[in-house]
């Protein structure tokens, strides 16, 4: 998929400890058909002088998913949890009052508790469109 300047995107991370996460950004420019400069929304330069800019491959990019309203989640639901400035794929494994316990398959030693405001319905970018577990 080709992106243009100004497109809102998510960048997949393959760095140690960040596999399976996506970070929001905006395409600043296209370098080649398969490379882009992205300005991150929540990641900043080491000196905090401004948003981090990075050259990324088109294979690491996807559009920002459409919003699927959710009033709540059930055990076993696949979700994206916002943590460490990015979105991480996890599974609902419990509920404590109005918060959800999320299990991360890539990091089984961790289970975290999130309010509804930091969770979204997980969607996969498949064949040029978004698909949620409930649509499969």
């Amino acid at each position: 998929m080709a992106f243009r300047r100004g497109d809102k995107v998510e960048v997949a991370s393959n760095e140690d400890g960040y596999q399976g996460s996506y970070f929001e950004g905006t395409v600043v420019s296209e370098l080649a058909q398969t490379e882009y400069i992205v300005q991150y929304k929540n990641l900043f330069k080491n000196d905090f002088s401004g948003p981090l800019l990075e050259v990324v491959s088109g294979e690491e990019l996807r559009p920002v998913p459409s919003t699927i309203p959710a009033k709540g989640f059930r055990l076993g639901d696949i979700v994206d949890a916002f943590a460490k400035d990015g979105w991480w794929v996890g599974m609902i494994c419990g509920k404590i009052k109005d918060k959800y316990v999320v299990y991360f398959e890539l990091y089984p030693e961790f289970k975290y508790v999130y309010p509804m405001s930091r969770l979204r319905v997980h969607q996969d970018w498949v064949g040029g469109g978004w698909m949620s577990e409930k649509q499969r």
Side-chain angles (χ1 to χ4, degrees), residues 86-113:
W87 291 100
W88 302 71
V89 178
M91 182 178 69
I92 301 295
C93 66
K95 188 171 181 185
I96 301 171
K97 296 186 182 183
D98 62 343
K99 296 182 179 174
Y100 294 90
V101 181
V102 180
Y103 164 81
F104 299 95
E105 186 176 351
L106 290 175
Y107 306 96
E109 65 276 14
F110 300 111
K111 291 186 180 97
Y112 293 101
V113 179

Side-chain angles (χ1 to χ4, degrees), residues 3 7-27 37-44 52 54 56-57 60-65 80-89 107 118 120 130:
F3 295 95
D7 284 350
K8 303 293 182 197
V9 295
E10 290 186 345
V11 182
S13 178
N14 292 314
E15 289 186 35
D16 285 342
Y18 289 89
Q19 293 92 350
S21 63
Y22 285 87
F23 295 87
E24 296 177 63
T26 303
V27 173
I37 297 176
V38 171
Q39 178 177 311
Y40 288 97
K41 179 180 177 181
N42 298 306
L43 299 179
F44 295 89
L52 179 64
E54 186 176 50
V56 297
S57 161
E60 298 172 274
L61 294 180
R62 66 183 191 182
V64 172
D80 293 337
F82 190 78
K84 297 182 181 179
D85 300 318
W87 291 100
W88 302 71
V89 178
Y107 306 96
R118 295 181 60 107
R120 68 183 185 192
W130 288 106

Side-chain angles (χ1 to χ4, degrees), residues 68-73 116 120-121:
I68 297 177
K71 293 182 181 176
F73 296 103
M116 184 73 182
R120 68 183 185 192
V121 174

